[in-house]
Amino acid sequence: QVQLVESGGGLVQAGGSLRLSCAASRSKFFSINTMGWYRRAPGKQREFVASITSGGSSNYEDSVKGRFTISTDNANNTTYLQMNSLKPEDTAVYYCNCNAFHSWRGHLEYWGQGTQVTVSS
């Protein structure tokens, strides 16, 4: 119904940058309310990183404020996470998240498969 495909992860040195992409596809019965990024570091719970609403309002976890930027390209249904000034503690699997509304099923949540980001010191 809603499919999310992440890309852009990789290995980068501390202080470097990466841009993650999340390509979304959906049926005509869905409208997307919020797109977001979460991450899971080794041995830790998955945590919120950033989100953006259909109205363009964005929100960030405190540790990434000023370094990460979430944006959307409505023309190709893609959500981006620009990651600058990366730190070793940013190392994690990053997951794309979608909160959508179905015409009669109501609010539903979807997740991408994840993309690995590794930041070396």
Side-chain angles (χ1 to χ4, degrees), residues 22-92:
C22 175
S25 61
R26 58 178 176 85
S27 77
K28 62 182 179 181
F29 300 107
F30 285 88
S31 62
I32 296 175
N33 298 132
T34 306
M35 297 295 298
W37 290 95
Y38 290 71
R39 66 187 180 187
R40 187 191 299 275
K44 298 180 65 177
Q45 293 284 334
R46 182 163 56 189
E47 67 174 351
F48 169 80
V49 176
S51 66
I52 186 167
T53 69
S54 60
S57 298
S58 59
N59 191 31
Y60 299 91
E61 194 273 328
D62 287 342
S63 68
V64 308
K65 287 182 178 178
R67 300 189 298 121
F68 292 6
T69 302
I70 188 170
S71 62
T72 58
D73 183 347
N74 292 326
N76 59 8
N77 297 312
T78 301
T79 301
Y80 301 96
L81 185 67
Q82 179 66 47
M83 309 166 66
N84 298 326
S85 301
L86 283 163
K87 305 174 181 179
E89 50 263 44
D90 294 319
T91 296

